[in-house]
Amino acid sequence: PVVTGDVVAMIDSALPQRMRGQLETQIPRFMAYFTQKLGPLDHAPTLFASYDVSPQDGRWGRQGGTLPGQVFTHFYGDAWPSRIDDPALPDELAWFFAHEAGHMYQHDAWVDGDVNAWIHEGGAEAFAALALRAEGAGDVVKAKVASASRECAAAVAQTSVRDAIAAGQFGAAYTCGLLVSLAIDEAVKRASPGSDGLYTVWRDFIASEPPGRHTEEGFLAAVARSGGDALADAVRSVVRTATPDLAKLGAGTT
């Protein structure tokens, strides 16, 4: 294991050094940032990173997941060796690492039901955006938000965010959820200058209900307490209305 003050890392020795170096550098840094914003974990978390480039019927990619106190990253498929020198890869990995680290600091405040995944998946996407902005990678965030705007618009062209997710377009939880969460961040900061925006909402949400008992209404109540009832009503409308006008929330584009 690689042990730091923020994480114990178990990293596959097959992982290319370029990826390993970025993982070892960024994961502890993101965890330190999220500790400051959302509070410390009960104990130092453990990171597991695995790498398997055996042929997998043309499939390749990366997966991430979390359990209490643990974060997993897995790179699979024989395309990876040819991608190591891709100039876009470091930015992609930075976002991926920040997203997965962000999940742990949601402190298990996940709402049951796939249709509510816009809260925790969109929240983790927004945490990644805010973490990268804090590191000076604003251009990466702008590109990601622009891509999410296009993909979200396509997903909800004839349906709502919740219904799109229910119909199997789970990507809407990430893309539309990112836009909604960044819009909440901006609105809360406007309502309370000097506040911590989305993090203020999430700290309240985490503390408001027992683990395993968090609800969409509980999240919207936390939004209302930080940004006002009108903001919470607008968020509720955006995720439940077919072909929503995300611009009403500001769409998180700044």
Side-chain angles (χ1 to χ4, degrees):
V2 176
V3 181
T4 72
D6 298 295
V7 64
V8 177
M10 298 290 291
I11 302 175
D12 191 335
S13 60
L15 197 71
Q17 183 55 45
R18 180 176 179 181
M19 297 168 69
R20 182 188 182 102
Q22 185 174 348
L23 186 72
E24 291 178 350
T25 300
Q26 289 183 327
I27 286 283
R29 200 161 68 222
F30 288 139
M31 289 179 173
Y33 170 80
F34 291 129
T35 294
Q36 179 187 15
K37 295 296 185 180
L38 295 166
L41 302 176
D42 292 337
H43 54 271
T46 302
L47 162 71
F48 296 93
S50 56
Y51 184 74
D52 177 10
V53 295
S54 61
Q56 301 190 32
D57 298 325
R59 294 181 298 109
W60 72 279
R62 58 181 181 264
Q63 296 173 320
T66 60
L67 291 171
Q70 300 177 22
V71 59
F72 302 85
T73 64
H74 178 51
F75 301 88
Y76 64 91
D78 56 359
W80 273 110
S82 66
R83 288 216 64 209
I84 297 304
D85 295 324
D86 184 342
L89 182 60
D91 291 340
E92 293 176 13
L93 291 182
W95 188 283
F96 175 61
F97 296 154
H99 175 104
E100 296 305 334
H103 269 317
M104 279 200 300
Y105 287 85
Q106 290 174 335
H107 295 271
D108 301 321
W110 290 24
V111 179
D112 284 341
D114 285 349
V115 295
N116 295 313
W118 65 270
I119 296 173
H120 56 264
E121 294 297 357
E125 286 284 89
F127 294 166
L130 296 171
L132 290 177
R133 282 180 185 168
E135 294 207 334
D139 289 345
V140 175
V141 176
K142 287 181 180 179
K144 187 73 172 183
V145 169
S147 175
S149 297
R150 294 189 296 271
E151 293 176 20
C152 175
V156 299
Q158 297 181 324
T159 188
S160 70
V161 174
R162 286 168 55 92
D163 287 345
I165 297 169
Q169 296 189 67
F170 201 72
Y174 294 80
T175 58
C176 300
L178 168 63
L179 302 180
V180 171
S181 290
L182 287 182
I184 292 170
D185 180 68
E186 294 163 11
V188 171
K189 287 174 178 175
R190 288 194 299 268
S192 303
S195 80
D196 227 358
L198 183 65
Y199 294 121
T200 300
V201 174
W202 266 91
R203 287 195 298 268
D204 184 357
F205 182 50
I206 290 165
S208 65
E209 298 172 295
R213 300 288 297 276
H214 290 80
T215 64
E216 182 190 54
E217 284 305 309
F219 179 75
L220 293 172
V223 171
R225 286 190 290 269
S226 296
D229 290 339
L231 175 61
D233 290 343
V235 172
R236 183 184 291 106
S237 176
V238 159
V239 299
R240 291 177 176 269
T241 301
T243 319
D245 182 3
L246 288 167
K248 291 182 178 178
L249 287 177
T253 56
T254 61

